[in-house]
C-alpha cells in the first residue's frame, strides 16, 4: 500500500507516542490538531501540549480549534484532502461531518480491550477494578463513544504492583506500534473490521481529584488498587490540617483485620510505613507527600515529624475519610 496522506489529532503524552511512530513511518502527516494551549501548574503558566511540541519540532502545521463545529476549521480539514485522520486522546468530539471527510475515514487508538473501558480513563479504571490484563484497540471511528468497528487489538498483562503511570507508558508504546501496523495495510484492515460485541461494555469515566480521596471503609485491595491506579494522577489523598496529604505508594498487610479496628485509624507506625485499618484488614502507607512538601518515604518523613502520626488516632482530619 502506498504511503497515506494523514492528519493527526491528539493532545497528551499518550498521543505523542503514536504521532512519533507515524512520523517514523513512510506515511505523510500533513497537519496536526491538538487542544488549545492551557494554563496549568501552580504558576498557571500557559503550556503547549506534548503533541504540539512534537509536531512543531518536525515543522508540521498545527491547528488548535476550540471545537470542530465551525465552518473555517471544517474547510481547512476538507482542503487537506486526507486519506485518513488518526485520533489519539484528542479530548474533543469529532462530529460526523468531520468523520466523513477522509477518504478512508478516521482511526482511533484506544488504551483498552474494547468494548471494556470505553471512555476517558481506561488505564486507571482497569487498575482500580483489579483487571489482570488490558491492551490497545485500533478502531474505525463513528459517532458513538468508542463504539466503532475494531481493526486490530492486542492484550497486555497488568503487573500486580504496576501504577497508572507505568501502565500508561507501556500502553502508549504498544498502541503506537499497532497503529503503524494498521496504517501500513489500512484498506485490508478496514475490509476485515469486526463490530464490537454488545456484551462486556463498561465505561471509564473521567478522573477527578475528589474521587481520589480515600475511604478506609473500603477493602484493603480496593484501596491499594486505587493508590497505584491514581499514581501519578490525580494521586490518592486524605485531608491533613485542611489540606490534601497525598499517598503515592502503599502495600497490603498480610495481617488479618480485627473487628475492633476502626477503619481510618492508625494501628502502628514503623519504618515500613503507617499501618491503617481498612474495611477488612490493614493497608501500609509507604510514600506520602505532606501539604506543600515533596513526596518521600514514610521512614524519611518520620525522622523530621516523629509525632505526626500516632497509633490509635485517625489518619488525617476525619475518621471516615470521606
Amino acid at each position: 500500500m502506498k504511503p497515506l496522506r494523514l492528519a493527526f489529532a491528539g493532545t497528551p503524552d499518550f498521543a505523542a507516542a503514536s504521532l512519533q511512530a507515524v512520523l517514523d513511518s513512510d506515511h505523510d502527516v500533513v497537519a496536526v490538531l491538538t487542544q488549545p494551549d492551557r494554563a496549568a501548574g501552580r504558576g498557571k503558566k500557559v503550556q503547549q501540549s506534548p503533541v504540539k511540541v512534537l509536531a512543531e519540532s518536525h515543522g508540521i502545521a498545527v491547528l488548535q480549534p476550540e471545537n470542530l463545529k465551525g465552518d473555517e476549521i471544517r474547510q481547512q480539514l476538507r482542503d487537506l484532502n486526507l486519506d485518513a485522520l488518526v485520533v489519539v486522546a484528542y479530548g474533543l468530539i469529532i462530529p460526523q461531518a468531520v468523520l466523513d471527510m477522509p477518504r478512508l475515514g478516521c482511526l482511533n487508538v484506544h488504551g483498552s480491550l474494547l468494548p471494556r473501558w470505553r471512555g476517558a480513563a481506561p488505564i486507571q479504571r482497569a487498575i482500580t477494578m483489579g483487571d489482570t490484563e488490558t491492551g490497545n484497540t485500533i478502531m474505525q471511528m463513528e459517532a458513538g463513544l468508542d463504539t466503532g468497528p475494531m481493526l486490530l487489538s492486542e492484550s497486555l498483562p497488568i503487573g500486580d504492583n504496576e501504577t497508572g503511570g507505568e501502565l500508561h507508558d507501556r500502553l502508549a508504546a504498544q498502541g503506537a506500534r499497532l497503529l503503524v501496523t494498521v496504517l501500513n495495510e489500512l484498506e485490508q484492515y478496514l475490509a476485515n473490521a469486526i463490530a464490537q460485541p454488545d456484551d462486556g461494555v463498561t465505561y471509564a469515566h473521567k478522573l477527578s481529584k475528589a474521587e481520589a480521596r480515600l475511604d478506609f471503609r473500603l477493602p484493603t485491595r480496593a484501596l491499594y488498587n486505587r493508590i497505584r491506579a491514581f499514581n501519578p494522577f490525580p494521586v490518592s489523598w486524605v485531608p491533613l490540617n485542611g489540606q490534601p496529604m497525598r499517598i503515592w505508594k502503599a502495600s497490603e498487610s498480610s495481617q488479618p483485620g480485627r473487628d475492633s479496628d476502626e477503619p481510618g485509624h492508625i494501628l502502628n507506625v514503623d519504618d515500613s510505613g503507617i499501618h491503617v485499618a481498612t474495611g477488612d484488614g490493614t493497608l501500609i502507607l509507604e510514600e506520602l507527600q505532606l501539604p506543600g512538601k515533596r513526596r518521600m518515604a514514610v521512614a524519611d518523613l518520620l525522622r523530621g515529624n516523629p509525632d505526626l502520626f500516632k497509633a490509635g488516632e485517625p489518619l488525617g482530619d476525619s475518621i471516615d475519610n470521606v
Side-chain angles (χ1 to χ4, degrees):
M1 185 174 178
K2 68 177 183 179
L4 298 172
R5 183 176 173 85
L6 305 171
F8 185 96
T11 300
D13 288 320
F14 188 90
S18 285
L19 176 57
Q20 184 64 65
V22 178
L23 293 173
D24 291 338
S25 74
D26 293 332
H27 303 290
D28 187 17
V29 181
V30 296
V32 162
L33 292 91
T34 192
Q35 288 204 39
D37 300 344
R38 312 279 190 200
R42 285 186 178 177
K44 295 299 180 182
K45 182 179 179 181
V46 175
Q47 296 183 7
Q48 299 177 341
S49 75
V51 164
K52 179 180 179 179
V53 172
L54 178 58
E56 290 190 336
S57 72
H58 285 77
I60 300 171
V62 176
L63 306 174
Q64 295 182 273
E66 289 287 348
N67 57 61
L68 299 179
K69 299 177 181 178
D71 292 338
E72 181 179 355
I73 183 61
R74 292 190 181 187
Q75 188 59 51
Q76 286 178 301
L77 294 174
R78 200 173 290 112
D79 291 344
L80 292 174
N81 192 27
L82 299 173
D83 290 316
L85 170 65
V86 175
V87 182
V88 187
Y90 181 33
L92 295 180
I93 294 174
I94 311 294
Q96 188 65 51
V98 175
L99 293 174
D100 293 338
M101 285 181 190
R103 180 175 66 89
L104 297 173
C106 300
L107 310 181
N108 177 245
V109 179
H110 187 76
S112 80
L113 297 176
L114 292 169
R116 185 160 178 80
W117 300 128
R118 294 174 178 172
I123 298 172
Q124 293 85 355
R125 299 301 177 196
I127 296 176
T128 297
M129 295 306 294
D131 291 4
T132 58
E133 72 169 0
T134 183
N136 272 281
T137 304
I138 313 298
M139 68 174 176
Q140 186 175 18
M141 295 184 70
E142 58 183 30
L145 178 63
D146 300 329
T147 60
M150 301 179 293
L151 307 182
L152 180 64
S153 65
E154 183 178 278
S155 65
L156 192 70
I158 300 175
D160 291 341
N161 303 312
E162 195 162 22
T163 66
E166 292 165 345
L167 183 57
H168 167 282
D169 292 349
R170 292 203 298 135
L171 283 171
Q174 181 194 53
R177 173 174 54 81
L178 296 180
L179 172 62
V180 173
T181 297
V182 169
L183 289 174
N184 288 344
E185 300 292 342
L186 181 55
E187 292 191 33
Q188 179 178 336
Y189 277 100
L190 290 172
N192 293 283
I194 300 173
Q196 291 187 39
D198 294 329
D199 294 336
V201 174
T202 56
Y203 288 93
H205 298 289
K206 186 177 180 179
L207 300 173
S208 71
K209 291 184 179 180
E211 74 168 306
R213 182 176 178 174
L214 295 181
D215 177 357
F216 283 96
R217 294 171 298 187
L218 293 173
T220 301
R221 174 54 63 92
L223 291 163
Y224 171 68
N225 287 344
R226 282 173 175 264
I227 290 168
R228 62 192 184 98
F230 295 161
N231 177 353
F233 178 84
V235 188
S236 295
W237 62 279
V238 295
L240 180 68
N241 299 325
Q243 298 293 322
M245 178 178 69
R246 291 179 164 183
I247 301 172
W248 288 90
K249 186 178 180 182
S251 62
E252 299 174 275
S253 172
S254 59
Q255 297 297 319
R258 301 172 301 182
D259 291 340
S260 59
D261 294 339
E262 190 168 357
H265 277 69
I266 298 171
L267 303 177
N268 184 37
V269 180
D270 56 30
D271 283 347
S272 69
I274 302 169
H275 300 239
V276 183
T278 69
D280 68 352
T282 305
L283 185 71
I284 305 173
L285 310 183
E286 299 176 339
E287 188 174 334
L288 303 179
Q289 184 176 5
L290 296 177
K293 305 294 184 179
R294 64 181 180 87
R295 57 190 281 192
M296 63 176 64
V298 166
D300 295 331
L301 187 154
L302 292 175
R303 292 190 186 97
N305 305 271
D307 298 322
L308 186 58
F309 305 104
K310 296 180 180 180
E313 295 184 352
L315 181 74
D317 295 345
S318 62
I319 293 176
D320 60 10
N321 288 296
V322 294

